[in-house]
Amino acid sequence: MKIAIVGGGVGGLTLARVLAVHGIEVVVYEREASRSARAQGGMLDLHVETGQRALRIAGLESEFLAIARREGQDMRLLDPAGKILHQEDTPDDAPMARPELDRSDLRAILLDSLPEETIQWGHALSNAEPAERAERAERAEAGERGEAGERGERAERGEQGGYRLRFTNGATAECDLLVGADGANSVVRPLLTDARPAHMGVNSVELGIPDADNTHPELAAMVGRGNYWALGDGQHLAAQRNGDGRIRVYLSFHGPEDWLETCGIPFGEPEKARAALADLFRDWHPQYRELIEACDDTVVPRALSALPIGLSWSAVPGVTLIGDAAHLMPPAGEGANLAMLDAAELALGLAADPANAVRTYELEMFERSAAAAKQSAEVHKLVMAGADALLKFFTRTT
Ligand SMILES: Cc1cc2nc3c(=O)[nH]c(=O)nc-3n(C[C@H](O)[C@H](O)[C@H](O)COP(=O)(O)OP(=O)(O)OC[C@H]3O[C@@H](n4cnc5c(N)ncnc54)[C@H](O)[C@@H]3O)c2cc1C
């Protein structure tokens, strides 16, 4: 079976790795030009039964332990007045239940585990269609008559005919199984469902302080070794310590999808954007504005969206989805974990029982992602409701 994975994020790369471990060749088509074309974003906490399990199946446990930061599990919850409402400090011998790791480190261990030729960089999928339909259209265009090609014959016998992929760089490719691992705005998804991500009523802006221990030691101490959340009415600030010494700062504002365009903040002019963003925290304790003002020129605005909870689809031969393409959900620490587990489960299925693997995987994935999406939506609602609501949640469950 010729397998094509579209998207070389955590899901697509984990799938390629587990398939490779089982001797199954695969090609990953990734739109980015190279492995270093884009900074990969912040930290991920990998959970024992999902993300960590996938890495064990991928045979990358020791590589994971080398990049996992136990102390990244520390957590501080504050109110706008700067009062610490809840604090968790991780003992040195605490279990690695949810250690944090840099997304770039995770991507590096996955890429290093794959033969170089597995990844086709600079291949952004523009469209995929059943191969026999593409062949018929080509023959008609060429004015040809006569025998159907091999895939056309297989389709006429009722066998799966595979997919023809077209990329924005002009390249084409064919495969028997197409796996969409192409994230939130998946190009593969419409082959299976009409569902589209809907805006969640919140927009975020990512900023960051490089080498915080040396450049801003007081702010670094304030944030601590892990996650730092300050929640207010209609907006919040989250900061997290990364393995490379950077503190990433995420500012979130409740509002409609077009808020990023209508708010008047010039996101393309970092100095002015920082000043305008800090001003939105003028009624909060001055420490929050200091944190924003200490950031460098990285300013990444994002509108947050999610797919419907419990999304599923009828089986379509030769195509499936993993990760955010299948179940984009509010960022509550599950998305990457689920993408990796999807990948590992699908790969194990394809190695053991290729004929039934995809549907078996899909039915299990629908169930677990519906439960996780429901839970993530609840956490998102608590975060939107402010510090007191989240405090009740922490003190109830810890
Ligand atoms: C701010 C933020 C914080 C988060 N924090 C966490 C966390 O702490 N823990 C956690 O588990 N999850 C977290 N998530 C969610 C997590 O990032 C995603 O769930 C996860 O990255 C999904 O992995 P994926 O492989 O499905 O998709 P992605 O990681 O989005 O990868 C998709 C890949 O496909 C490529 N691609 C896209 N379109 C095409 C195309 N047309 N052709 C070819 N390639 C294409 C992209 O370039 C990319 O490399 C967070 C998300 C956000 C926004």
Side-chain angles (χ1 to χ4, degrees):
M1 191 191 286
K2 202 167 166 191
I3 302 174
I5 301 170
V6 175
V10 285
L13 295 179
T14 306
L15 178 59
R17 165 66 185 175
V18 180
L19 288 170
V21 165
H22 286 82
I24 300 172
E25 271 185 38
V26 65
V27 181
V28 178
Y29 297 101
E30 167 55 50
R31 72 176 167 194
E32 285 171 15
S34 70
R35 66 187 281 165
S36 56
R38 182 177 66 89
Q40 290 300 308
M43 305 294 289
L44 295 169
D45 54 327
L46 285 199
H47 310 165
V48 175
E49 283 309 317
T50 47
Q52 290 187 40
R53 185 163 147 218
L55 286 179
R56 284 195 298 275
I57 292 170
L60 296 172
E61 193 167 16
S62 57
E63 288 82 350
F64 157 72
L65 289 172
I67 59 169
R69 294 176 52 245
R70 175 184 277 112
E71 70 278 12
Q73 298 172 109
D74 284 8
M75 203 271 292
R76 293 174 188 179
L77 173 66
L78 296 94
D79 67 11
K83 185 177 166 204
I84 296 181
L85 303 176
H86 186 71
Q87 179 162 351
E88 290 173 17
D89 295 321
T90 315
D92 289 347
D93 59 353
M96 290 275 227
R98 292 174 167 237
E100 297 274 356
L101 36 86
D102 282 29
R103 200 184 273 262
S104 54
D105 290 345
L106 175 62
R107 194 174 190 237
I109 64 172
L110 289 165
L111 283 172
D112 291 346
S113 76
L114 290 164
E116 214 164 291
E117 61 278 11
T118 303
I119 320 286
Q120 297 284 306
W121 298 103
H123 280 63
L125 184 74
S126 57
N127 122 291
E129 62 177 332
E132 69 272 15
R133 194 200 300 160
E135 253 180 41
R136 273 200 300 274
E138 273 166 21
R139 280 203 307 271
E141 203 173 297
E144 287 175 18
R145 293 167 60 87
E147 290 181 14
E150 186 199 339
R151 284 176 190 280
E153 285 172 8
R154 285 169 58 186
E156 276 155 26
R157 292 198 303 269
E159 291 172 14
Q160 173 191 316
Y163 278 84
R164 166 82 53 92
L165 315 181
R166 289 179 200 283
F167 300 91
T168 55
N169 63 4
T172 60
E174 290 199 352
C175 62
D176 300 306
L177 175 61
L178 167 62
V179 182
D182 50 344
N185 300 310
S186 172
V187 175
V188 180
R189 190 190 297 125
L191 295 171
L192 291 157
T193 168
D194 292 334
R196 296 275 178 281
H199 189 249
M200 288 165 22
V202 61
N203 300 287
S204 88
V205 184
E206 180 187 328
L207 307 165
I209 307 174
D211 192 18
D213 283 330
N214 293 314
T215 58
H216 296 86
E218 282 165 22
L219 293 174
M222 177 179 98
V223 169
R225 306 181 302 175
N227 285 291
Y228 175 96
W229 291 347
L231 307 185
D233 191 13
Q235 64 192 64
H236 56 267
L237 176 154
Q240 57 172 216
R241 170 71 63 120
N242 290 196
D244 63 358
R246 186 175 182 84
I247 288 182
R248 277 197 158 73
V249 178
Y250 297 94
L251 309 177
S252 301
F253 304 95
H254 305 184
E257 191 167 8
D258 63 358
W259 183 84
L260 292 169
E261 286 85 50
T262 59
C263 64
I265 297 174
F267 293 110
E269 297 173 65
E271 203 177 326
K272 287 186 186 163
R274 268 195 309 274
L277 289 163
D279 192 48
L280 294 177
F281 286 81
R282 61 186 169 274
D283 297 331
W284 290 39
H285 192 284
Q287 69 194 28
Y288 301 117
R289 289 196 298 284
E290 282 167 29
L291 198 62
I292 296 168
E293 282 156 2
C295 289
D296 66 8
D297 284 352
T298 308
V299 180
V300 185
R302 287 191 189 93
L304 298 184
S305 54
L307 283 165
I309 294 174
L311 176 66
S312 65
W313 52 82
S314 304
V316 177
V319 56
T320 192
L321 303 173
I322 63 171
D324 279 5
H327 45 64
L328 178 68
M329 56 188 74
E334 297 293 340
N337 283 280
L338 289 175
M340 294 170 73
L341 185 62
D342 289 352
E345 297 279 327
L346 177 59
L348 289 179
L350 287 167
D353 180 11
N356 298 304
V358 168
R359 197 55 183 165
T360 306
Y361 149 76
E362 286 180 340
L363 294 176
E364 287 172 8
M365 179 272 286
F366 293 152
E367 201 172 319
R368 73 170 167 261
S369 60
K374 193 160 166 270
Q375 198 186 14
S376 294
E378 277 162 17
V379 172
H380 173 67
K381 218 161 102 187
L382 287 174
V383 170
M384 299 275 275
D388 289 339
L390 197 61
L391 179 63
K392 273 189 205 136
F393 173 77
F394 280 131
T395 46
R396 194 192 65 209
T397 56
T398 55

